Amino acid sequence: MDDGDKETEQRRGTATDEDIVGTSRKRGLLLVLTGDGKGKSTSAFGMVARALGHGMQVGVAQFIKKRSDTGEALFFHRQPGVYWHLLGEGFTWEGEDPGRHEVAARHGWKVGRKMLKDPSIDLVVFDELTYPIQYGWLDLEAVLFDIANRPGAQHVVVTGRGAPKALCEAADTVTEMKEIKHAFRSGIEAQPGIDF
Ligand code: ATP
Ligand code: MG
């Protein structure tokens, strides 16, 4: 049984879902996780774990390199079926040449676009993609075009605060994380396993 048959067989078991949506067609979804509350990236990594559990291939591109020792990078990059790309420069660039960030972002999108052209990758995560768009390092129209022209069954998840309206309109699922409280505001520093 090849992978396609296996998937079809698994899908037969999801009659309830199919009844609800009225279709059994396999369709790649675009999900956007935005807002200023905690939980955007970790939700995306939860979907990475789910997808890997189903034997799917996953590509992750992190567009803001806050640190390279995050639990997710350390864990997932060792897992079979994952392509993990740490792209972009750090958050702080005071006194730095802003062109450096643009170059990094453009290189990042080259990597991203390559994954969007690869039908063997079932799920692509663009973590913190909203920032290089907001800062004008990446062209929103070009990003939307590449996402729209991805393989039909490929899922894409975009995370980051301030998701542009056009990206949310193009998405199938949009969730806004709302901050009620964050430990950081009480002066508690970032904790391994929780924050990175
Ligand atoms: P996470 O990676 O924990 O899911 P996130 O992706 O929603 O968080 P980001 O804006 O990418 O949030 O920030 C990532 C880091 O900043 C994490 O360490 C997270 O705990 C922290 N963080 C998230 N939201 C807030 C907030 N409202 N105030 C302070 N720190 C935050
Ligand atoms: Mg995040």
Side-chain angles (χ1 to χ4, degrees), residues 63-120:
F63 279 85
I64 302 285
K65 203 192 304 171
K66 290 171 198 164
R67 51 197 305 162
S68 53
D69 63 341
T70 63
E72 61 268 22
L74 294 170
F75 177 77
F76 281 118
H77 98 267
R78 293 195 296 250
Q79 304 302 313
V82 183
Y83 307 92
W84 196 282
H85 303 280
L86 259 188
L87 307 159
E89 300 285 338
F91 250 138
T92 51
W93 54 85
E94 243 171 86
E96 290 175 15
D97 169 16
R100 202 161 70 85
H101 294 277
E102 186 158 349
V103 170
R106 286 182 189 280
H107 166 72
W109 193 246
K110 267 189 199 157
V111 174
R113 192 190 295 137
K114 215 169 154 188
M115 295 198 286
L116 292 173
K117 288 185 185 304
D118 183 348
S120 76

Side-chain angles (χ1 to χ4, degrees), residues 36-43 66 128 131 161 179 182 184-185 190 194-196:
D36 55 12
K38 172 174 162 55
K40 301 174 289 294
S41 297
T42 46
S43 169
K66 290 171 198 164
E128 321 296 354
Y131 304 103
R161 298 177 189 208
E179 184 192 319
H182 195 288
F184 179 78
R185 296 200 189 278
I194 298 295
D195 295 301
F196 65 90

Side-chain angles (χ1 to χ4, degrees), residues 6-189:
K6 255 189 244 158
E7 253 176 64
T8 309
E9 181 134 313
Q10 281 175 356
R11 289 191 156 257
R12 281 190 200 120
T14 61
T16 313
D17 290 351
E18 286 165 20
D19 288 342
I20 293 165
V21 298
T23 175
S24 59
R25 193 164 52 98
K26 191 167 181 240
R27 181 171 174 275
L29 300 175
L30 173 61
L31 298 92
V32 174
L33 303 168
T34 191
D36 55 12
K38 172 174 162 55
K40 301 174 289 294
S41 297
T42 46
S43 169
F45 302 142
M47 284 182 266
V48 170
R50 280 187 165 170
L52 292 176
H54 287 288
M56 294 160 75
Q57 300 287 310
V58 179
V60 177
Q62 294 194 285
F63 279 85
I64 302 285
K65 203 192 304 171
K66 290 171 198 164
R67 51 197 305 162
S68 53
D69 63 341
T70 63
E72 61 268 22
L74 294 170
F75 177 77
F76 281 118
H77 98 267
R78 293 195 296 250
Q79 304 302 313
V82 183
Y83 307 92
W84 196 282
H85 303 280
L86 259 188
L87 307 159
E89 300 285 338
F91 250 138
T92 51
W93 54 85
E94 243 171 86
E96 290 175 15
D97 169 16
R100 202 161 70 85
H101 294 277
E102 186 158 349
V103 170
R106 286 182 189 280
H107 166 72
W109 193 246
K110 267 189 199 157
V111 174
R113 192 190 295 137
K114 215 169 154 188
M115 295 198 286
L116 292 173
K117 288 185 185 304
D118 183 348
S120 76
I121 304 182
D122 303 294
L123 167 65
V124 179
V125 174
F126 294 126
D127 189 34
E128 321 296 354
L129 177 63
T130 57
Y131 304 103
I133 294 171
Q134 273 167 20
Y135 296 129
W137 301 328
L138 289 180
D139 177 46
L140 174 61
E141 293 303 317
V143 166
L144 290 175
F145 179 87
D146 291 334
I147 290 176
N149 288 286
R150 71 192 188 278
Q154 188 182 69
H155 302 299
V156 172
V157 179
V158 176
T159 85
R161 298 177 189 208
K165 197 166 165 249
L167 177 64
C168 293
E169 280 169 1
D172 301 285
T173 297
V174 181
T175 299
E176 185 173 16
M177 308 295 175
K178 182 178 187 302
E179 184 192 319
I180 306 293
K181 218 180 193 186
H182 195 288
F184 179 78
R185 296 200 189 278
S186 314
I188 300 167
E189 64 182 39

